[in-house]
Amino acid sequence: MTTTLLFDRIDEPGLHTLEVYRRRGGYEALRKALAMPPEAVLHELEASALRGRGGAGFQMGKKVSFLPKGGMDKYLVCNADESEPGTFKDRELMQKCPHMLLEGIVIAAHAAGATRSFIYIRGEYVLQADILDAALAEARAAGFVGEQILGSDTSLSLVVHRGAGAYICGEETGLLDSLEGKRGNPRLKPPFPANQGLYQGPTLINNVETLCTVPTIVTMGGSEYAKLGVETSTGTKLVSVSGHVQRPGNYEIELGIPSREIIYGLAGGPPEGRRVKCWFPGGSSSPVLTGEDLDIPYDFDSMAKAGTMLGSGAIIVVDDSTPILDVALKVAKFYRHESCGKCTPCREGTSWTVTMLERIDAGEATPMDLEIMASVQEHIMGNCLCVLGDAMAMPIGSMIAKFRPELEAHMATARIRSGVGGGAATEGVLAAQGALVGAGAGPHGEAH
Amino acid sequence: MPRPAPRTITFTIDGLEVQAPENSMLVDAAKHGDIEIPVFCYEPKLGNPVGACRMCLVEIEGIPKLQTGCSTPVKDGMVVHTQSERVKVAQNSVVEFLLINHPLDCPVCDKGGECPLQDITFGWGRGISRYVDPKRHFVKPLALSPLIAIDRERCILCYRCVRFSQEISEDHQLVLQERGAHSYVSTFDGHPYVAPFSGNIVELCPVGALTSQPYRFRARPWDIEDAGSVCTLCPSQCNVTLTVRDERVLRVLSRANPEVDDGWLCDRGRFAYPALGGDARVTAPLVRDGGELRPVSWERALEEAAAGLRRAGERVGALAGGGATCEEGLLLARLVREVLGSPHLDSRVAGALPLELLRALAEPSLQATVSDLEFAHAVLLLDCEPVADAAILDLRLRKGVRRHGLRLVPAGRAQLLDQAARAQLLDTLRAAGEEVVVLWHERLGAGAEGERAVRALLDLAATLGLAGIDGAGLLEVPAHTNGRGLREAGVLPNAGPELGELDEGGLNEGGLDAQGIATALAAGELSALYLLDVDPLAGPSPLPSSEHLRSPWAAPEPELWERALERASTVIAHATFLTEGVRAHANVVFPALAYAEKEGTVVHPDGRVQRLRPGVARPGETRDERRVLDELTAMVAPVAVGS
Amino acid sequence: MSSVPRFQHGSRVPGWDMAADLDKDPATIPGVGGSPSPEVPEGLRADIEAHMALYPDPRSAILPALEAAQRVHGWCSPEAIDQVASVMRLTPAELVAVATFYDMLETTPVGRHSVYVCTNISCSLCGADELYEAVRAAAGDDPEFNVRSFECLGACDIAPMASVDGAYVGPLTLADVPTLLEDIRAGREVLPEKQLARRPCADPGAGS
Ligand SMILES: Cc1cc2nc3c(=O)[nH]c(=O)nc-3n(C[C@H](O)[C@H](O)[C@H](O)COP(=O)(O)O)c2cc1C
Ligand code: SF4
Ligand code: FES
């Protein structure tokens, strides 16, 4: 239906081997890029207007151009930590077409003048890391990675570095600290990695999908690539669809198509008889949208306009069978677990939010707790060292804003269930509120 | 290495035009306008800001998000708000967040009354908390080391203590474990945090999470007085504030002096005070009778001493050291030289050097300062082990290496004397850069080869042209705290005050140095020995938590001294503790003052004069050394002059 | 034991309530400055040194080194940490600080076979919580197993899923649980037909 670039026949047997990859013209883009001066390659990247696929959506070409010129050691780090809940696109790329990533890395390094590169892959991806290691060995042997690649004077060392389970190591500066052998705590910015990153040297950090797109851009030319998608969101994007859909999985779409086409057209929509209650358009960190928002075009700016974000391109669909509180609790618990603990609002705010949600569920909360919870989210937002705090505050905040009546009802019924409300225990808010009024209301209470 | 030369800029904060050094962090710049921005994790002494606590959020026009004032360098024309509604809300919420799990047990907390968390909560908090759920609780307090207790309920995870361990003392023993709200400060597998400078974390902790075991529950801020003084337990001479209650020192804190200690203390300086006030102190005059030292009246002690000195006359030798002040040194020199007519006195336990060498070394253009150590291109460590010889310099050198790429070159006497090795040394130093500081210990000049070694040192300084380069030079760590002061006071066999010629001063020459005195005593040529705050036989210091510090007292040749003291007919000592030599050989012991009780001046190894002020009353019958020396002089004078 | 109420911090080390043992020596770098240096299995030493050689700053090898030590010792025991410390010339504290930060590094003894059941949002929408309870119940107190509920493992397309000693399997039903544990016990490939490794891509354009 839409153009497939990254996923084009990706299930072809043996594609993970150098032989098959080359039979399909693999590493020709590298040959072409190495024949061009770095500036020319950078120009193509800028012309493509490719936006980062890792979450922030920052233009890759711009980022490369931020790296200082000069002879100092520069680094390229591929962010393969992929731990944003709902995201699993990088996994499929690395597992089935590792050489595409390697080729992209070498080209990007050539453009950025980096001489050392690392792939930081989450430790849970054992299979994919092994595949990358094997591919790297092949590529080295064939002279695509290492000293004076293909006889050019571009050299690049590459190491596959396995993480050990920490979401925060996907955040670029947390990743750098982790790669330096420290706890994965994010750093203060500025200085930005482009100036002072890995080992204090200028560092380019890009997501797997972003780098996998680079060879395509070099092959078809930046401006050609820019014709795909929509003006401010060019090209194709891998979307990981999961949750309450009939055909979960990764789909490559042209940016800007209606979200409905992805959720219903490709992923088959929610099970028979269910309707979309809410969905995360860009991983669990993005504010939720509802069934009414299905026609919003799926691209960076449209999502921003709708008050949410495209993030990592992970669509999580929740149908009407699930209470919103369960969703909120899952999300909050995740961020509490993953908060690195370095900054106050995130460390304390995430655990406070979980406590309040649990209290609501246990029927020990009052409507005031919703107010407090909402304001706690506001106090977290924008006040943290990195955006992990915001990554919880935004979705939770959006759920409180969009599902307040349901949350209040949940609270009320839970109070009755737990006996706090006492008195007349019928379902529904009004009855519940009646019960609340009745509770301990002396003679009137008895009169009821 | 170029040192920061800040230029002043003007910025606006809360409507005020304020002048401040460019690129100073906003929290510091704000102070120039008398505006306080609250901080917890920010502590410039610890290096670059980490921006963890978020207490210092401020609004900067032109930047959408609130920024951390602790990590934002001030620029010309910046417009900053610290009172706006947005900022207030942020500050309130950070305080609220921090107090979620803080026990608020201020009434039973040592920090109460001097607690940044209390002050900031009061000044910038909302005053109420909306947190109604149970706080977490842990066993408390727990031992972190014999000297430090940790209360994890109170910890606000500001990172200060662990940063100290990683980035200042670099012992890498204290770390954060776990993640997120589970993070906690700890060591590996329950090992105690024992390191030369561990005590500083107590002072760094902005809450009552880290407390000093000896100080716990001893006093409240409103019970205590502060007394500024200088620690004379080693040549570093760190500046301290004594916490005093009821004429007792209850705590020793740093009185930051960037030119001396950078605001740090070693554990000995911080924790030795109980011993100084303890039972081991000599607090009454003692006289040996029937082989035993017995307490006697001052009159009796002075009489015994005077008699002994009269008998000995010019056959007396004298040594000064320890924490003896310049004034005490002058008075001793007067007693020995002018009154008793003996030229035999010394303060270099390791042995004297020819006057021209002493003068060459004292050459002003050759003097290096403590801060030079930090900014030099290279520091040559010559026969010197900083952490053992002058503890606090160890931190300064680490700082230089870490922040300014200082090159450390350790070497011994041998390398200095061997041609080839020396040439190599020179190359290494030259390669590092021209600003070279030589940090050397008095022991370099000891023994037979000593003089040659010191000449070689001067020679090396000349070859490198150190005299001509500012930021370069020599820095000698004397064996004794006030070694430099005593020399300048003329406690030397071959020089008067300010290294003046003796004959010029009308003083007799040909004095014996420490070694000479020992030999002469052993041979019976001298009959009396006067020890001012020094014991040539002292073993390890009687003070606690000093594992890392060498005993500054011991002399090179114990056997010789053993014989010398054995043979001497009179040994008079001013002592705070009965160290080996004193206990075994002194006939008269005058109870000496500890630095906390003393008045006087000492000279820092780099030449700065520092003043001791009495912080607490003198214990027992102790008397000011100056008075004792004075009375003694008066008692001995007529006879000595007469004979 | 103290009567102080404990915070349910679920911390993998009971460190919050741990005091220092004042009889122990300070934990400095093993084998440096007179402190005892532990016996390190040759294979492990070589492994760690090989990793150290890969990076401009050998410290970067901490994670691979700890993972290697965990493979040898089963978990990041104090002994394991001490060995890594002596090879890398770091203090054990620096290593334990890192080890406790990461979910995959075990700082208490665990079973040989790890079963990570993803219980994050997408999987739990598909019944992961029940699955996790079922696996726990089935594994019982068999010391061979280390059953953990894990955050999103990056395989929501096969939700609910689990990672068995690193191999992803799903979508799992409660009926799969007994077979799953059986396969592990028997040392067989776990639920071959449900291995992610063999799953085709969902995208229409992916087939060849
Ligand atoms: C909490 C947090 C987690 C993140 N996790 C990931 C991740 O798993 N993978 C990734 O590529 N980017 C992740 N990012 C985004 C990175 O910080 C960074 O923006 C991105 O890797 C840059 O690459 P790109 O420009 O190609 O997108 C995360 C960011 C945050 C704040
Ligand atoms: S113990 Fe004190 S200094 Fe250390 S992190 Fe906690 S609050 Fe900060
Ligand atoms: S003082 Fe600025 S963040 Fe802590």
Side-chain angles (χ1 to χ4, degrees):
Chain A
M1 51 187 302
T2 61
T3 356
T4 32
L5 302 172
L6 304 184
F7 273 172
D8 178 29
R9 289 169 294 129
I10 197 167
D11 275 333
E12 176 174 355
L15 180 55
H16 62 282
T17 63
L18 183 59
E19 189 203 348
V20 178
Y21 183 66
R22 290 193 70 180
R23 201 186 316 130
R24 279 173 47 161
Y27 287 107
E28 283 317 308
L30 174 59
R31 212 173 285 283
K32 181 176 173 192
L34 288 176
M36 304 157 61
E39 302 70 30
V41 181
L42 173 55
H43 175 76
E44 294 303 325
L45 291 177
E46 283 173 321
S48 76
L50 172 69
R51 292 176 68 165
R53 306 305 198 210
F58 193 84
Q59 277 208 19
M60 180 189 181
K62 267 213 192 68
K63 211 192 274 187
V64 177
S65 68
F66 287 163
L67 264 73
K69 310 277 164 276
M72 74 285 271
D73 276 345
K74 294 186 206 141
Y75 304 90
L76 183 149
V77 177
C78 168
N79 189 340
D81 192 56
E82 190 161 69
S83 349
E84 174 74 18
T87 318
F88 44 89
K89 61 196 177 62
D90 299 343
R91 183 203 77 209
E92 193 131 40
L93 284 171
M94 294 186 286
Q95 176 181 328
K96 296 181 172 171
C97 199
H99 286 286
M100 195 192 325
L101 177 57
L102 301 185
E103 186 175 14
I105 288 177
V106 182
I107 298 174
H110 172 62
T115 53
R116 286 178 168 276
S117 64
F118 300 87
I119 300 176
Y120 187 104
I121 182 169
R122 66 179 299 183
E124 295 87 342
Y125 282 172
V126 179
L127 172 68
Q128 295 72 14
D130 292 345
I131 289 176
L132 279 173
D133 271 327
L136 178 56
E138 283 184 303
R140 259 207 210 93
F144 294 125
V145 174
E147 294 301 306
Q148 302 185 329
I149 298 164
L150 301 176
S152 73
D153 45 23
T154 297
S155 299
L156 182 72
S157 73
L158 178 50
V159 174
V160 177
H161 183 94
R162 303 174 191 222
Y167 170 60
I168 193 60
C169 293
E171 196 282 334
E172 52 189 9
T173 58
L175 184 153
L176 293 177
D177 264 31
S178 178
L179 187 45
E180 287 178 7
K182 307 179 186 138
R183 294 160 63 85
N185 291 330
R187 305 173 179 175
L188 265 176
K189 292 190 251 180
F192 290 89
N195 299 314
Q196 266 184 47
L198 191 60
Y199 310 123
Q200 297 304 309
T203 307
L204 175 69
I205 303 176
N206 275 115
N207 166 262
V208 171
E209 184 186 349
T210 316
L211 289 162
C212 282
T213 312
V214 169
T216 316
I217 292 174
V218 169
T219 314
M220 61 194 284
S223 38
E224 269 309 303
Y225 182 87
K227 293 193 184 129
L228 295 166
V230 293
E231 200 211 347
T232 54
S233 303
T234 59
T236 65
K237 172 90 186 75
L238 303 188
V239 188
S240 308
V241 192
S242 66
H244 290 141
V245 290
Q246 302 185 27
R247 290 189 299 274
N250 286 316
Y251 298 93
E252 181 168 11
I253 58 116
E254 201 168 329
L255 282 160
I257 67 170
S259 308
R260 184 184 300 276
E261 236 172 85
I262 306 169
I263 296 176
Y264 281 87
L266 291 166
E272 287 311 320
R274 290 285 168 200
R275 51 171 199 80
V276 175
K277 174 179 194 164
C278 70
W279 53 291
F280 298 80
S284 67
S285 305
S286 57
V288 294
L289 295 173
T290 66
E292 280 73 70
D293 308 314
L294 285 167
D295 295 310
I296 300 175
Y298 197 74
D299 64 70
F300 288 98
D301 291 7
S302 308
M303 284 301 155
K305 246 192 252 92
T308 178
M309 56 190 209
L310 188 115
S312 57
I315 295 180
I316 306 168
V317 178
V318 181
D319 72 21
D320 53 1
S321 66
T322 310
I324 198 70
L325 189 98
D326 296 11
V327 181
L329 201 47
K330 271 290 170 200
V331 170
K333 279 186 173 167
F334 168 72
Y335 291 98
R336 174 183 67 176
H337 179 76
E338 299 295 348
S339 167
C340 82
K342 185 173 181 179
C343 80
T344 310
C346 173
R347 181 183 68 240
E348 304 297 338
T350 50
S351 46
W352 190 3
T353 304
V354 170
T355 331
M356 285 189 283
L357 286 166
E358 282 173 339
R359 201 140 40 69
I360 293 177
D361 204 26
E364 290 158 16
T366 68
M368 198 180 84
D369 285 294
L370 269 188
E371 303 309 326
I372 297 176
M373 197 158 70
S375 91
V376 166
Q377 307 315 310
E378 280 160 23
H379 292 165
I380 295 172
M381 249 180 279
N383 292 346
C384 299
L385 179 64
C386 80
V387 298
L388 186 140
D390 303 47
M392 177 201 72
M394 291 187 297
I396 299 291
S398 71
M399 287 179 223
I400 300 173
K402 294 183 176 167
F403 295 90
R404 183 179 282 268
E406 180 185 335
L407 287 167
E408 282 166 350
H410 192 117
M411 190 182 302
T413 44
R415 283 172 67 85
I416 294 160
R417 231 185 292 109
S418 69
V420 182
T426 42
E427 288 299 320
V429 197
L430 293 171
Q433 279 165 351
L436 291 179
V437 177
H444 301 91
E446 288 156 18
H448 279 289
Chain B
M1 209 158 292
R3 315 203 180 183
R7 94 173 222 277
T8 309
I9 55 89
T10 308
F11 75 113
T12 312
I13 181 162
D14 298 339
L16 293 171
E17 291 244 318
V18 174
Q19 310 247 318
E22 183 173 39
N23 290 330
S24 58
M25 295 304 166
L26 272 178
V27 290
D28 296 324
K31 295 189 184 118
H32 293 262
D34 257 342
I35 289 171
E36 183 179 3
I37 300 172
V39 302
F40 284 116
C41 67
Y42 180 63
E43 171 47 81
K45 283 196 295 182
L46 292 174
N48 295 337
V50 289
C53 76
R54 317 306 288 177
M55 190 64 234
C56 63
L57 290 169
V58 296
E59 195 171 349
I60 302 172
E61 290 187 9
I63 307 180
K65 268 183 157 194
L66 297 180
Q67 298 294 307
T68 47
C70 69
S71 63
T72 311
V74 64
K75 301 274 182 233
D76 197 51
M78 226 180 212
V79 182
V80 185
H81 302 283
T82 74
Q83 306 288 327
S84 65
E85 202 42 43
R86 266 178 83 203
V87 175
K88 281 217 174 69
V89 170
Q91 292 169 333
N92 289 170
S93 62
V94 172
V95 169
E96 187 178 38
F97 282 134
L98 284 173
L99 294 183
I100 282 182
N101 282 307
H102 189 81
L104 294 171
D105 54 352
C106 310
V108 295
C109 177
D110 268 316
K111 200 81 172 184
E114 52 183 24
C115 175
L117 182 57
Q118 270 185 334
D119 300 345
I120 290 175
T121 302
F122 192 75
W124 288 269
R126 194 190 281 102
I128 57 144
S129 171
R130 299 170 298 171
Y131 185 80
V132 295
D133 303 274
K135 292 171 186 276
R136 60 189 177 201
H137 289 293
F138 306 107
V139 186
K140 56 185 268 182
L142 299 162
L144 185 63
S145 82
L147 298 168
I148 303 169
I150 183 165
D151 179 328
R152 295 197 171 104
E153 284 181 0
R154 295 179 188 154
C155 172
I156 59 168
L157 294 170
C158 72
Y159 279 65
R160 286 178 172 223
C161 53
V162 292
R163 279 165 69 206
F164 176 81
S165 175
Q166 316 311 309
E167 292 168 40
I168 304 302
S169 65
E170 295 179 338
D171 54 59
H172 302 285
Q173 287 185 45
L174 194 68
V175 294
L176 279 165
Q177 295 192 25
E178 291 299 316
R179 196 166 75 197
H182 302 163
S183 315
Y184 66 96
V185 171
S186 186
T187 55
F188 168 65
D189 193 30
H191 289 263
Y193 179 40
V194 176
F197 304 94
S198 67
N200 291 291
I201 64 174
V202 173
E203 227 173 308
L204 284 168
C205 183
V207 299
L210 295 169
T211 48
S212 147
Q213 294 278 21
Y215 184 65
R216 278 180 72 82
F217 306 131
R218 290 298 188 289
R220 288 303 218 162
W222 48 88
D223 305 324
I224 58 177
E225 293 170 283
D226 286 349
S229 191
V230 173
C231 171
T232 61
L233 298 183
C234 93
S236 314
Q237 293 182 13
C238 298
N239 297 190
V240 295
T241 301
L242 308 172
T243 296
V244 179
R245 180 184 190 179
D246 308 336
E247 295 305 340
R248 285 178 72 81
V249 176
L250 289 189
R251 179 172 68 172
V252 177
L253 298 175
S254 160
R255 182 162 53 92
N257 180 342
E259 289 302 313
V260 174
D261 48 44
D262 235 357
W264 307 120
L265 290 181
C266 79
D267 281 5
R268 182 201 227 178
R270 185 180 298 277
F271 293 112
Y273 64 87
L276 291 175
D279 314 340
R281 268 289 287 283
V282 187
T283 54
L286 307 172
V287 163
R288 188 173 304 273
D289 93 31
E292 281 294 305
L293 281 172
R294 303 180 194 283
V296 297
S297 71
W298 269 102
E299 293 62 31
R300 166 95 197 280
L302 285 163
E303 215 13 86
E304 289 277 338
L309 291 174
R310 280 199 217 91
R311 275 198 301 280
E314 49 185 47
R315 293 172 65 244
V316 65
L319 283 184
T325 62
C326 304
E327 295 73 14
E328 293 162 19
L330 281 165
L331 290 166
L332 177 70
R334 188 183 68 171
L335 171 64
V336 177
R337 282 210 180 95
E338 299 174 27
V339 178
L340 295 169
S342 158
H344 314 304
L345 75 168
D346 201 353
S347 54
R348 297 179 68 104
V349 182
L353 293 168
L355 185 51
E356 22 106 28
L357 279 192
L358 289 176
R359 287 186 172 159
L361 288 167
E363 175 53 42
S365 59
L366 263 186
Q367 307 306 302
T369 66
V370 170
S371 49
D372 291 339
L373 289 176
E374 180 181 337
F375 292 97
H377 291 114
V379 167
L380 171 59
L381 288 172
L382 205 49
D383 260 359
C384 182
E385 175 56 64
V387 75
D389 296 327
I392 220 66
L393 297 186
D394 180 72
L395 295 185
R396 185 67 67 127
L397 292 168
R398 291 177 184 279
K399 184 181 178 189
V401 172
R402 200 176 49 256
R403 296 201 205 166
H404 312 295
L406 159 67
R407 174 93 195 273
L408 275 187
V409 186
R413 181 189 286 195
Q415 273 145 296
L416 198 59
L417 293 179
D418 170 76
Q419 275 308 326
R422 192 157 159 285
Q424 213 176 20
L425 208 55
L426 279 166
D427 295 342
T428 325
L429 294 170
R430 284 214 187 83
E434 60 171 11
E435 285 174 38
V436 174
V437 174
V438 183
L439 185 66
W440 63 288
H441 189 272
E442 180 177 328
R443 72 178 67 87
L444 178 76
E449 289 285 271
E451 186 176 331
R452 240 188 91 213
V454 174
R455 288 191 192 283
L457 167 63
L458 284 161
D459 204 64
L460 180 114
T463 330
L464 290 169
L466 299 189
I469 306 162
D470 47 357
L474 309 181
L475 184 55
E476 175 187 3
V477 178
H480 289 251
T481 300
N482 189 29
R484 180 159 183 168
L486 291 170
R487 279 173 227 162
E488 288 175 0
V491 186
L492 287 169
N494 51 351
E498 293 169 344
L499 301 180
E501 292 288 353
L502 290 168
D503 46 12
E504 284 168 11
L507 301 172
N508 38 0
E509 299 182 57
L512 299 166
D513 67 5
Q515 245 53 13
I517 293 174
T519 325
L521 281 166
E525 291 150 21
L526 293 183
S527 63
L529 177 63
Y530 199 106
L531 297 171
L532 180 58
D533 220 355
V534 58
D535 178 350
L537 288 186
S541 149
L543 297 175
S545 61
S546 55
E547 296 80 3
H548 61 284
L549 274 178
R550 291 211 184 94
S551 155
W553 287 282
E557 297 167 56
E559 312 74 18
L560 172 62
W561 276 105
E562 188 63 54
R563 277 183 281 117
L565 287 157
E566 195 54 57
R567 183 87 186 267
S569 52
T570 308
V571 177
I572 302 163
H574 292 256
T576 39
F577 295 95
L578 286 184
T579 47
E580 269 164 58
V582 175
R583 175 181 285 107
H585 301 288
N587 312 72
V588 183
V589 179
F590 296 128
L593 297 181
Y595 77 84
E597 302 139 12
K598 252 187 200 182
E599 166 91 60
T601 58
V602 290
V603 179
H604 186 277
D606 75 2
R608 80 185 50 244
V609 177
Q610 305 205 94
R611 177 153 180 203
L612 305 182
R613 289 192 174 78
V616 290
R618 290 180 276 101
E621 298 171 48
T622 50
R623 279 186 192 174
D624 188 324
E625 280 71 29
R626 292 171 302 177
R627 175 173 165 201
V628 179
L629 283 160
D630 217 40
E631 291 184 9
L632 217 45
T633 309
M635 293 168 74
V636 179
V639 188
V641 172
S643 61
Chain C
M1 266 335 286
S2 86
S3 61
V4 177
R6 300 301 187 86
F7 172 58
Q8 292 305 319
H9 47 65
S11 163
R12 278 164 292 134
V13 285
W16 279 97
D17 291 318
M18 188 174 74
D21 174 352
L22 300 184
D23 299 334
K24 289 187 179 175
D25 291 330
T28 52
I29 302 174
V32 174
S35 71
S37 146
E39 273 299 317
V40 185
E42 254 334 294
L44 181 57
R45 175 183 296 278
D47 201 351
I48 296 175
E49 279 165 353
H51 276 108
M52 288 166 73
L54 290 177
Y55 303 88
D57 174 356
R59 193 196 164 95
S60 286
I62 285 188
L63 279 186
L66 287 170
E67 281 154 13
Q70 177 160 303
R71 276 195 297 279
V72 173
H73 293 263
W75 62 293
C76 292
S77 60
E79 299 67 35
I81 299 248
D82 226 34
Q83 294 176 358
V84 178
S86 74
V87 178
M88 295 193 74
R89 290 276 187 224
L90 297 167
T91 65
E94 289 178 275
L95 294 169
V96 86
V98 172
T100 52
F101 189 89
Y102 297 89
D103 287 339
M104 293 174 71
L105 295 170
E106 305 286 353
T107 46
T108 48
V110 292
R112 202 151 47 87
H113 294 293
S114 67
V115 183
Y116 300 161
V117 182
C118 172
T119 52
N120 203 298
I121 180 78
S122 296
C123 279
S124 69
L125 287 173
C126 304
D129 301 291
E130 300 72 18
L131 176 70
Y132 169 61
E133 289 313 325
V135 178
R136 279 192 67 109
D141 43 24
D142 184 337
E144 283 293 288
F145 294 116
N146 169 27
V147 181
R148 287 175 59 183
S149 86
F150 228 76
E151 297 302 353
C152 183
L153 285 159
C156 321
D157 46 346
I158 54 168
M161 58 78 62
S163 164
V164 178
D165 291 326
Y168 282 20
V169 287
L172 298 174
T173 64
L174 296 182
D176 292 325
V177 175
T179 338
L180 180 116
L181 296 186
E182 262 330 294
D183 289 345
I184 301 176
R185 288 205 179 87
R188 273 187 300 244
E189 185 186 23
V190 177
L191 299 170
E193 72 291 353
K194 295 206 172 188
Q195 291 263 342
L196 176 75
R198 301 203 181 75
R199 188 180 174 91
C201 177
D203 190 280
S208 53

